[in-house]
Amino acid sequence: VQLQASGGGSVQPGGSLRLSCAASGFALDDYTITWFRQAPGKEREGVSSTVAGGISTYYADSVKARFTISRDSAKTRVYLQMNSLKPEDTAIYYCARLGVGSNRHNLFEDEKYDYWGRGTLVTVSS
């Protein structure tokens, strides 16, 4: 099982980035995937989830209406489209797979996740 996050970079406030999480070694469509982020000096926090099958999505209040999570039709990647970026969005972003048997209540509890990709750094600064 592997998850590989990519797409980070440096942008000015108001800019956009699209993060990609490439999955291998398992059937992506059968699993809930969540993007987390960790800013310098802060705890890791959940950003957005796409439930297994891709029907339901969830967002942290801080990113609602700005970020969009999606899955590709080939069922190998999960994307996080980030628009109207703010300096407070600066963080390392990680994608993670919900562990087998974990319930879907509070998907932003990171201890429920069994596989994590390496992070990708997003810097929002003027």
PDB file of all heavy atoms in Angstrom, residues 3-41:
ATOM      1  N   LEU A   3       0.698   5.666  -0.666  1.00  0.00           N
ATOM      2  CA  LEU A   3       0.035   6.916  -0.986  1.00  0.00           C
ATOM      3  C   LEU A   3       1.121   7.938  -1.243  1.00  0.00           C
ATOM      4  O   LEU A   3       2.075   8.039  -0.458  1.00  0.00           O
ATOM      5  CB  LEU A   3      -0.854   7.385   0.172  1.00  0.00           C
ATOM      6  CG  LEU A   3      -2.048   6.500   0.527  1.00  0.00           C
ATOM      7  CD1 LEU A   3      -2.644   6.925   1.849  1.00  0.00           C
ATOM      8  CD2 LEU A   3      -3.096   6.567  -0.568  1.00  0.00           C
ATOM      9  N   GLN A   4       0.989   8.685  -2.302  1.00  0.00           N
ATOM     10  CA  GLN A   4       1.999   9.671  -2.655  1.00  0.00           C
ATOM     11  C   GLN A   4       1.322  11.009  -2.922  1.00  0.00           C
ATOM     12  O   GLN A   4       0.598  11.152  -3.908  1.00  0.00           O
ATOM     13  CB  GLN A   4       2.771   9.236  -3.887  1.00  0.00           C
ATOM     14  CG  GLN A   4       3.863  10.205  -4.315  1.00  0.00           C
ATOM     15  CD  GLN A   4       4.956  10.328  -3.288  1.00  0.00           C
ATOM     16  OE1 GLN A   4       5.516   9.350  -2.832  1.00  0.00           O
ATOM     17  NE2 GLN A   4       5.242  11.561  -2.874  1.00  0.00           N
ATOM     18  N   ALA A   5       1.580  11.957  -2.041  1.00  0.00           N
ATOM     19  CA  ALA A   5       1.015  13.299  -2.208  1.00  0.00           C
ATOM     20  C   ALA A   5       1.970  14.166  -3.007  1.00  0.00           C
ATOM     21  O   ALA A   5       3.195  14.084  -2.837  1.00  0.00           O
ATOM     22  CB  ALA A   5       0.749  13.924  -0.852  1.00  0.00           C
ATOM     23  N   SER A   6       1.411  14.993  -3.868  1.00  0.00           N
ATOM     24  CA  SER A   6       2.218  15.908  -4.667  1.00  0.00           C
ATOM     25  C   SER A   6       1.388  17.137  -5.013  1.00  0.00           C
ATOM     26  O   SER A   6       0.179  17.175  -4.763  1.00  0.00           O
ATOM     27  CB  SER A   6       2.702  15.217  -5.941  1.00  0.00           C
ATOM     28  OG  SER A   6       1.612  14.822  -6.740  1.00  0.00           O
ATOM     29  N   GLY A   7       2.049  18.122  -5.612  1.00  0.00           N
ATOM     30  CA  GLY A   7       1.334  19.300  -6.081  1.00  0.00           C
ATOM     31  C   GLY A   7       1.505  20.539  -5.239  1.00  0.00           C
ATOM     32  O   GLY A   7       0.980  21.595  -5.567  1.00  0.00           O
ATOM     33  N   GLY A   8       2.219  20.425  -4.137  1.00  0.00           N
ATOM     34  CA  GLY A   8       2.432  21.592  -3.303  1.00  0.00           C
ATOM     35  C   GLY A   8       3.338  22.611  -3.982  1.00  0.00           C
ATOM     36  O   GLY A   8       3.933  22.350  -5.020  1.00  0.00           O
ATOM     37  N   GLY A   9       3.438  23.775  -3.377  1.00  0.00           N
ATOM     38  CA  GLY A   9       4.276  24.825  -3.917  1.00  0.00           C
ATOM     39  C   GLY A   9       4.042  26.124  -3.185  1.00  0.00           C
ATOM     40  O   GLY A   9       3.380  26.152  -2.141  1.00  0.00           O
ATOM     41  N   SER A  10       4.580  27.188  -3.754  1.00  0.00           N
ATOM     42  CA  SER A  10       4.436  28.519  -3.177  1.00  0.00           C
ATOM     43  C   SER A  10       3.514  29.361  -4.044  1.00  0.00           C
ATOM     44  O   SER A  10       3.714  29.430  -5.258  1.00  0.00           O
ATOM     45  CB  SER A  10       5.802  29.197  -3.070  1.00  0.00           C
ATOM     46  OG  SER A  10       6.635  28.508  -2.175  1.00  0.00           O
ATOM     47  N   VAL A  11       2.534  29.969  -3.412  1.00  0.00           N
ATOM     48  CA  VAL A  11       1.597  30.828  -4.136  1.00  0.00           C
ATOM     49  C   VAL A  11       1.319  32.079  -3.315  1.00  0.00           C
ATOM     50  O   VAL A  11       1.530  32.089  -2.091  1.00  0.00           O
ATOM     51  CB  VAL A  11       0.250  30.115  -4.425  1.00  0.00           C
ATOM     52  CG1 VAL A  11       0.462  28.963  -5.378  1.00  0.00           C
ATOM     53  CG2 VAL A  11      -0.423  29.668  -3.147  1.00  0.00           C
ATOM     54  N   GLN A  12       0.821  33.086  -3.985  1.00  0.00           N
ATOM     55  CA  GLN A  12       0.424  34.303  -3.294  1.00  0.00           C
ATOM     56  C   GLN A  12      -0.992  34.139  -2.751  1.00  0.00           C
ATOM     57  O   GLN A  12      -1.766  33.313  -3.241  1.00  0.00           O
ATOM     58  CB  GLN A  12       0.487  35.481  -4.256  1.00  0.00           C
ATOM     59  CG  GLN A  12       1.882  35.831  -4.700  1.00  0.00           C
ATOM     60  CD  GLN A  12       1.922  37.095  -5.540  1.00  0.00           C
ATOM     61  OE1 GLN A  12       0.920  37.515  -6.113  1.00  0.00           O
ATOM     62  NE2 GLN A  12       3.095  37.708  -5.601  1.00  0.00           N
ATOM     63  N   PRO A  13      -1.332  34.914  -1.749  1.00  0.00           N
ATOM     64  CA  PRO A  13      -2.712  34.885  -1.242  1.00  0.00           C
ATOM     65  C   PRO A  13      -3.708  35.108  -2.377  1.00  0.00           C
ATOM     66  O   PRO A  13      -3.490  35.954  -3.245  1.00  0.00           O
ATOM     67  CB  PRO A  13      -2.735  36.037  -0.239  1.00  0.00           C
ATOM     68  CG  PRO A  13      -1.321  36.136   0.239  1.00  0.00           C
ATOM     69  CD  PRO A  13      -0.477  35.839  -0.971  1.00  0.00           C
ATOM     70  N   GLY A  14      -4.767  34.322  -2.339  1.00  0.00           N
ATOM     71  CA  GLY A  14      -5.761  34.382  -3.405  1.00  0.00           C
ATOM     72  C   GLY A  14      -5.507  33.410  -4.532  1.00  0.00           C
ATOM     73  O   GLY A  14      -6.373  33.214  -5.398  1.00  0.00           O
ATOM     74  N   GLY A  15      -4.352  32.794  -4.526  1.00  0.00           N
ATOM     75  CA  GLY A  15      -3.993  31.858  -5.579  1.00  0.00           C
ATOM     76  C   GLY A  15      -4.602  30.484  -5.383  1.00  0.00           C
ATOM     77  O   GLY A  15      -5.340  30.237  -4.418  1.00  0.00           O
ATOM     78  N   SER A  16      -4.266  29.585  -6.313  1.00  0.00           N
ATOM     79  CA  SER A  16      -4.814  28.229  -6.291  1.00  0.00           C
ATOM     80  C   SER A  16      -3.716  27.196  -6.478  1.00  0.00           C
ATOM     81  O   SER A  16      -2.679  27.467  -7.094  1.00  0.00           O
ATOM     82  CB  SER A  16      -5.832  28.058  -7.433  1.00  0.00           C
ATOM     83  OG  SER A  16      -6.927  28.925  -7.296  1.00  0.00           O
ATOM     84  N   LEU A  17      -3.967  26.020  -5.936  1.00  0.00           N
ATOM     85  CA  LEU A  17      -3.121  24.851  -6.143  1.00  0.00           C
ATOM     86  C   LEU A  17      -4.018  23.629  -6.191  1.00  0.00           C
ATOM     87  O   LEU A  17      -5.088  23.618  -5.565  1.00  0.00           O
ATOM     88  CB  LEU A  17      -2.106  24.676  -5.012  1.00  0.00           C
ATOM     89  CG  LEU A  17      -0.877  25.584  -4.978  1.00  0.00           C
ATOM     90  CD1 LEU A  17      -0.111  25.341  -3.673  1.00  0.00           C
ATOM     91  CD2 LEU A  17       0.019  25.319  -6.163  1.00  0.00           C
ATOM     92  N   ARG A  18      -3.560  22.605  -6.890  1.00  0.00           N
ATOM     93  CA  ARG A  18      -4.255  21.320  -6.844  1.00  0.00           C
ATOM     94  C   ARG A  18      -3.289  20.257  -6.353  1.00  0.00           C
ATOM     95  O   ARG A  18      -2.271  19.990  -6.990  1.00  0.00           O
ATOM     96  CB  ARG A  18      -4.815  20.922  -8.204  1.00  0.00           C
ATOM     97  CG  ARG A  18      -5.708  19.690  -8.119  1.00  0.00           C
ATOM     98  CD  ARG A  18      -6.358  19.311  -9.425  1.00  0.00           C
ATOM     99  NE  ARG A  18      -5.432  18.625 -10.314  1.00  0.00           N
ATOM    100  CZ  ARG A  18      -5.806  17.841 -11.325  1.00  0.00           C
ATOM    101  NH1 ARG A  18      -7.101  17.657 -11.561  1.00  0.00           N
ATOM    102  NH2 ARG A  18      -4.912  17.273 -12.095  1.00  0.00           N
ATOM    103  N   LEU A  19      -3.631  19.665  -5.229  1.00  0.00           N
ATOM    104  CA  LEU A  19      -2.848  18.565  -4.687  1.00  0.00           C
ATOM    105  C   LEU A  19      -3.372  17.253  -5.235  1.00  0.00           C
ATOM    106  O   LEU A  19      -4.577  17.104  -5.477  1.00  0.00           O
ATOM    107  CB  LEU A  19      -2.905  18.560  -3.168  1.00  0.00           C
ATOM    108  CG  LEU A  19      -2.489  19.845  -2.452  1.00  0.00           C
ATOM    109  CD1 LEU A  19      -2.510  19.615  -0.944  1.00  0.00           C
ATOM    110  CD2 LEU A  19      -1.148  20.328  -2.905  1.00  0.00           C
ATOM    111  N   SER A  20      -2.465  16.308  -5.385  1.00  0.00           N
ATOM    112  CA  SER A  20      -2.826  14.983  -5.878  1.00  0.00           C
ATOM    113  C   SER A  20      -2.321  13.929  -4.909  1.00  0.00           C
ATOM    114  O   SER A  20      -1.209  14.041  -4.384  1.00  0.00           O
ATOM    115  CB  SER A  20      -2.215  14.753  -7.256  1.00  0.00           C
ATOM    116  OG  SER A  20      -2.448  13.446  -7.716  1.00  0.00           O
ATOM    117  N   CYS A  21      -3.126  12.913  -4.681  1.00  0.00           N
ATOM    118  CA  CYS A  21      -2.744  11.782  -3.844  1.00  0.00           C
ATOM    119  C   CYS A  21      -2.864  10.533  -4.705  1.00  0.00           C
ATOM    120  O   CYS A  21      -3.977  10.094  -5.013  1.00  0.00           O
ATOM    121  CB  CYS A  21      -3.651  11.696  -2.624  1.00  0.00           C
ATOM    122  SG  CYS A  21      -3.341  10.275  -1.561  1.00  0.00           S
ATOM    123  N   ALA A  22      -1.727   9.978  -5.092  1.00  0.00           N
ATOM    124  CA  ALA A  22      -1.716   8.774  -5.925  1.00  0.00           C
ATOM    125  C   ALA A  22      -1.704   7.554  -5.034  1.00  0.00           C
ATOM    126  O   ALA A  22      -0.864   7.439  -4.141  1.00  0.00           O
ATOM    127  CB  ALA A  22      -0.500   8.789  -6.829  1.00  0.00           C
ATOM    128  N   ALA A  23      -2.628   6.645  -5.297  1.00  0.00           N
ATOM    129  CA  ALA A  23      -2.765   5.454  -4.477  1.00  0.00           C
ATOM    130  C   ALA A  23      -2.370   4.217  -5.266  1.00  0.00           C
ATOM    131  O   ALA A  23      -2.682   4.105  -6.456  1.00  0.00           O
ATOM    132  CB  ALA A  23      -4.205   5.321  -4.000  1.00  0.00           C
ATOM    133  N   SER A  24      -1.703   3.274  -4.595  1.00  0.00           N
ATOM    134  CA  SER A  24      -1.358   2.002  -5.227  1.00  0.00           C
ATOM    135  C   SER A  24      -1.365   0.903  -4.183  1.00  0.00           C
ATOM    136  O   SER A  24      -1.220   1.166  -2.984  1.00  0.00           O
ATOM    137  CB  SER A  24       0.015   2.092  -5.899  1.00  0.00           C
ATOM    138  OG  SER A  24       1.017   2.404  -4.958  1.00  0.00           O
ATOM    139  N   GLY A  25      -1.573  -0.310  -4.656  1.00  0.00           N
ATOM    140  CA  GLY A  25      -1.550  -1.445  -3.760  1.00  0.00           C
ATOM    141  C   GLY A  25      -2.872  -1.777  -3.102  1.00  0.00           C
ATOM    142  O   GLY A  25      -2.942  -2.718  -2.305  1.00  0.00           O
ATOM    143  N   PHE A  26      -3.894  -1.022  -3.422  1.00  0.00           N
ATOM    144  CA  PHE A  26      -5.229  -1.309  -2.886  1.00  0.00           C
ATOM    145  C   PHE A  26      -6.269  -0.649  -3.784  1.00  0.00           C
ATOM    146  O   PHE A  26      -5.939   0.197  -4.620  1.00  0.00           O
ATOM    147  CB  PHE A  26      -5.366  -0.818  -1.440  1.00  0.00           C
ATOM    148  CG  PHE A  26      -5.331   0.683  -1.287  1.00  0.00           C
ATOM    149  CD1 PHE A  26      -6.506   1.413  -1.124  1.00  0.00           C
ATOM    150  CD2 PHE A  26      -4.124   1.366  -1.291  1.00  0.00           C
ATOM    151  CE1 PHE A  26      -6.478   2.786  -0.966  1.00  0.00           C
ATOM    152  CE2 PHE A  26      -4.082   2.740  -1.135  1.00  0.00           C
ATOM    153  CZ  PHE A  26      -5.262   3.453  -0.984  1.00  0.00           C
ATOM    154  N   ALA A  27      -7.513  -1.058  -3.604  1.00  0.00           N
ATOM    155  CA  ALA A  27      -8.609  -0.519  -4.419  1.00  0.00           C
ATOM    156  C   ALA A  27      -9.073   0.800  -3.816  1.00  0.00           C
ATOM    157  O   ALA A  27      -9.816   0.828  -2.822  1.00  0.00           O
ATOM    158  CB  ALA A  27      -9.756  -1.516  -4.472  1.00  0.00           C
ATOM    159  N   LEU A  28      -8.630   1.883  -4.404  1.00  0.00           N
ATOM    160  CA  LEU A  28      -8.903   3.206  -3.842  1.00  0.00           C
ATOM    161  C   LEU A  28     -10.390   3.451  -3.613  1.00  0.00           C
ATOM    162  O   LEU A  28     -10.783   4.043  -2.601  1.00  0.00           O
ATOM    163  CB  LEU A  28      -8.340   4.274  -4.786  1.00  0.00           C
ATOM    164  CG  LEU A  28      -8.522   5.730  -4.346  1.00  0.00           C
ATOM    165  CD1 LEU A  28      -7.800   5.987  -3.035  1.00  0.00           C
ATOM    166  CD2 LEU A  28      -8.034   6.673  -5.437  1.00  0.00           C
ATOM    167  N   ASP A  29     -11.224   2.975  -4.504  1.00  0.00           N
ATOM    168  CA  ASP A  29     -12.653   3.260  -4.408  1.00  0.00           C
ATOM    169  C   ASP A  29     -13.295   2.633  -3.168  1.00  0.00           C
ATOM    170  O   ASP A  29     -14.385   3.042  -2.766  1.00  0.00           O
ATOM    171  CB  ASP A  29     -13.360   2.762  -5.667  1.00  0.00           C
ATOM    172  CG  ASP A  29     -14.626   3.538  -5.961  1.00  0.00           C
ATOM    173  OD1 ASP A  29     -14.610   4.784  -5.815  1.00  0.00           O
ATOM    174  OD2 ASP A  29     -15.643   2.917  -6.313  1.00  0.00           O
ATOM    175  N   ASP A  30     -12.624   1.656  -2.590  1.00  0.00           N
ATOM    176  CA  ASP A  30     -13.174   0.964  -1.418  1.00  0.00           C
ATOM    177  C   ASP A  30     -12.822   1.643  -0.099  1.00  0.00           C
ATOM    178  O   ASP A  30     -13.229   1.165   0.966  1.00  0.00           O
ATOM    179  CB  ASP A  30     -12.662  -0.476  -1.366  1.00  0.00           C
ATOM    180  CG  ASP A  30     -13.196  -1.331  -2.496  1.00  0.00           C
ATOM    181  OD1 ASP A  30     -14.189  -0.929  -3.139  1.00  0.00           O
ATOM    182  OD2 ASP A  30     -12.620  -2.413  -2.741  1.00  0.00           O
ATOM    183  N   TYR A  31     -12.081   2.733  -0.171  1.00  0.00           N
ATOM    184  CA  TYR A  31     -11.566   3.349   1.047  1.00  0.00           C
ATOM    185  C   TYR A  31     -11.882   4.843   1.137  1.00  0.00           C
ATOM    186  O   TYR A  31     -11.914   5.541   0.120  1.00  0.00           O
ATOM    187  CB  TYR A  31     -10.050   3.175   1.149  1.00  0.00           C
ATOM    188  CG  TYR A  31      -9.643   1.762   1.457  1.00  0.00           C
ATOM    189  CD1 TYR A  31      -9.509   0.813   0.446  1.00  0.00           C
ATOM    190  CD2 TYR A  31      -9.415   1.354   2.776  1.00  0.00           C
ATOM    191  CE1 TYR A  31      -9.160  -0.488   0.725  1.00  0.00           C
ATOM    192  CE2 TYR A  31      -9.052   0.047   3.060  1.00  0.00           C
ATOM    193  CZ  TYR A  31      -8.933  -0.860   2.036  1.00  0.00           C
ATOM    194  OH  TYR A  31      -8.579  -2.159   2.318  1.00  0.00           O
ATOM    195  N   THR A  32     -12.078   5.270   2.365  1.00  0.00           N
ATOM    196  CA  THR A  32     -12.190   6.693   2.650  1.00  0.00           C
ATOM    197  C   THR A  32     -10.787   7.292   2.713  1.00  0.00           C
ATOM    198  O   THR A  32      -9.889   6.730   3.356  1.00  0.00           O
ATOM    199  CB  THR A  32     -12.910   6.914   3.986  1.00  0.00           C
ATOM    200  OG1 THR A  32     -14.270   6.489   3.845  1.00  0.00           O
ATOM    201  CG2 THR A  32     -12.873   8.373   4.425  1.00  0.00           C
ATOM    202  N   ILE A  33     -10.612   8.402   2.041  1.00  0.00           N
ATOM    203  CA  ILE A  33      -9.337   9.109   2.021  1.00  0.00           C
ATOM    204  C   ILE A  33      -9.543  10.515   2.559  1.00  0.00           C
ATOM    205  O   ILE A  33     -10.524  11.196   2.217  1.00  0.00           O
ATOM    206  CB  ILE A  33      -8.771   9.205   0.583  1.00  0.00           C
ATOM    207  CG1 ILE A  33      -8.581   7.814  -0.012  1.00  0.00           C
ATOM    208  CG2 ILE A  33      -7.457   9.994   0.589  1.00  0.00           C
ATOM    209  CD1 ILE A  33      -7.537   6.953   0.669  1.00  0.00           C
ATOM    210  N   THR A  34      -8.622  10.930   3.398  1.00  0.00           N
ATOM    211  CA  THR A  34      -8.691  12.262   3.993  1.00  0.00           C
ATOM    212  C   THR A  34      -7.386  13.008   3.790  1.00  0.00           C
ATOM    213  O   THR A  34      -6.308  12.418   3.903  1.00  0.00           O
ATOM    214  CB  THR A  34      -9.013  12.164   5.491  1.00  0.00           C
ATOM    215  OG1 THR A  34     -10.334  11.633   5.639  1.00  0.00           O
ATOM    216  CG2 THR A  34      -8.954  13.521   6.192  1.00  0.00           C
ATOM    217  N   TRP A  35      -7.518  14.282   3.511  1.00  0.00           N
ATOM    218  CA  TRP A  35      -6.367  15.183   3.517  1.00  0.00           C
ATOM    219  C   TRP A  35      -6.254  15.820   4.894  1.00  0.00           C
ATOM    220  O   TRP A  35      -7.230  16.344   5.427  1.00  0.00           O
ATOM    221  CB  TRP A  35      -6.532  16.278   2.472  1.00  0.00           C
ATOM    222  CG  TRP A  35      -6.314  15.842   1.064  1.00  0.00           C
ATOM    223  CD1 TRP A  35      -7.266  15.467   0.157  1.00  0.00           C
ATOM    224  CD2 TRP A  35      -5.056  15.740   0.385  1.00  0.00           C
ATOM    225  NE1 TRP A  35      -6.677  15.128  -1.036  1.00  0.00           N
ATOM    226  CE2 TRP A  35      -5.319  15.294  -0.924  1.00  0.00           C
ATOM    227  CE3 TRP A  35      -3.728  15.982   0.754  1.00  0.00           C
ATOM    228  CZ2 TRP A  35      -4.319  15.080  -1.862  1.00  0.00           C
ATOM    229  CZ3 TRP A  35      -2.731  15.777  -0.177  1.00  0.00           C
ATOM    230  CH2 TRP A  35      -3.023  15.333  -1.475  1.00  0.00           C
ATOM    231  N   PHE A  36      -5.061  15.769   5.444  1.00  0.00           N
ATOM    232  CA  PHE A  36      -4.727  16.442   6.692  1.00  0.00           C
ATOM    233  C   PHE A  36      -3.669  17.492   6.380  1.00  0.00           C
ATOM    234  O   PHE A  36      -3.011  17.452   5.347  1.00  0.00           O
ATOM    235  CB  PHE A  36      -4.161  15.451   7.710  1.00  0.00           C
ATOM    236  CG  PHE A  36      -5.160  14.480   8.247  1.00  0.00           C
ATOM    237  CD1 PHE A  36      -5.455  13.299   7.569  1.00  0.00           C
ATOM    238  CD2 PHE A  36      -5.812  14.716   9.452  1.00  0.00           C
ATOM    239  CE1 PHE A  36      -6.377  12.386   8.054  1.00  0.00           C
ATOM    240  CE2 PHE A  36      -6.732  13.809   9.965  1.00  0.00           C
ATOM    241  CZ  PHE A  36      -7.011  12.646   9.258  1.00  0.00           C
ATOM    242  N   ARG A  37      -3.457  18.376   7.317  1.00  0.00           N
ATOM    243  CA  ARG A  37      -2.359  19.327   7.184  1.00  0.00           C
ATOM    244  C   ARG A  37      -1.782  19.636   8.553  1.00  0.00           C
ATOM    245  O   ARG A  37      -2.455  19.507   9.575  1.00  0.00           O
ATOM    246  CB  ARG A  37      -2.814  20.618   6.499  1.00  0.00           C
ATOM    247  CG  ARG A  37      -3.779  21.464   7.307  1.00  0.00           C
ATOM    248  CD  ARG A  37      -4.266  22.658   6.475  1.00  0.00           C
ATOM    249  NE  ARG A  37      -5.169  23.517   7.210  1.00  0.00           N
ATOM    250  CZ  ARG A  37      -5.812  24.551   6.676  1.00  0.00           C
ATOM    251  NH1 ARG A  37      -5.651  24.858   5.382  1.00  0.00           N
ATOM    252  NH2 ARG A  37      -6.621  25.290   7.414  1.00  0.00           N
ATOM    253  N   GLN A  38      -0.531  20.028   8.536  1.00  0.00           N
ATOM    254  CA  GLN A  38       0.132  20.422   9.773  1.00  0.00           C
ATOM    255  C   GLN A  38       0.944  21.669   9.519  1.00  0.00           C
ATOM    256  O   GLN A  38       1.899  21.654   8.716  1.00  0.00           O
ATOM    257  CB  GLN A  38       1.014  19.305  10.317  1.00  0.00           C
ATOM    258  CG  GLN A  38       1.580  19.619  11.698  1.00  0.00           C
ATOM    259  CD  GLN A  38       2.128  18.407  12.390  1.00  0.00           C
ATOM    260  OE1 GLN A  38       2.450  17.402  11.767  1.00  0.00           O
ATOM    261  NE2 GLN A  38       2.249  18.481  13.705  1.00  0.00           N
ATOM    262  N   ALA A  39       0.548  22.733  10.174  1.00  0.00           N
ATOM    263  CA  ALA A  39       1.256  24.002  10.063  1.00  0.00           C
ATOM    264  C   ALA A  39       2.379  24.049  11.094  1.00  0.00           C
ATOM    265  O   ALA A  39       2.319  23.337  12.106  1.00  0.00           O
ATOM    266  CB  ALA A  39       0.285  25.153  10.289  1.00  0.00           C
ATOM    267  N   PRO A  40       3.376  24.866  10.867  1.00  0.00           N
ATOM    268  CA  PRO A  40       4.494  24.964  11.823  1.00  0.00           C
ATOM    269  C   PRO A  40       4.000  25.295  13.231  1.00  0.00           C
ATOM    270  O   PRO A  40       3.226  26.240  13.426  1.00  0.00           O
ATOM    271  CB  PRO A  40       5.340  26.105  11.259  1.00  0.00           C
ATOM    272  CG  PRO A  40       5.032  26.116   9.806  1.00  0.00           C
ATOM    273  CD  PRO A  40       3.587  25.736   9.701  1.00  0.00           C
ATOM    274  N   GLY A  41       4.418  24.490  14.180  1.00  0.00           N
ATOM    275  CA  GLY A  41       4.065  24.746  15.559  1.00  0.00           C
ATOM    276  C   GLY A  41       2.649  24.388  15.945  1.00  0.00           C
ATOM    277  O   GLY A  41       2.208  24.684  17.060  1.00  0.00           O
TER     278      GLY A  41
END
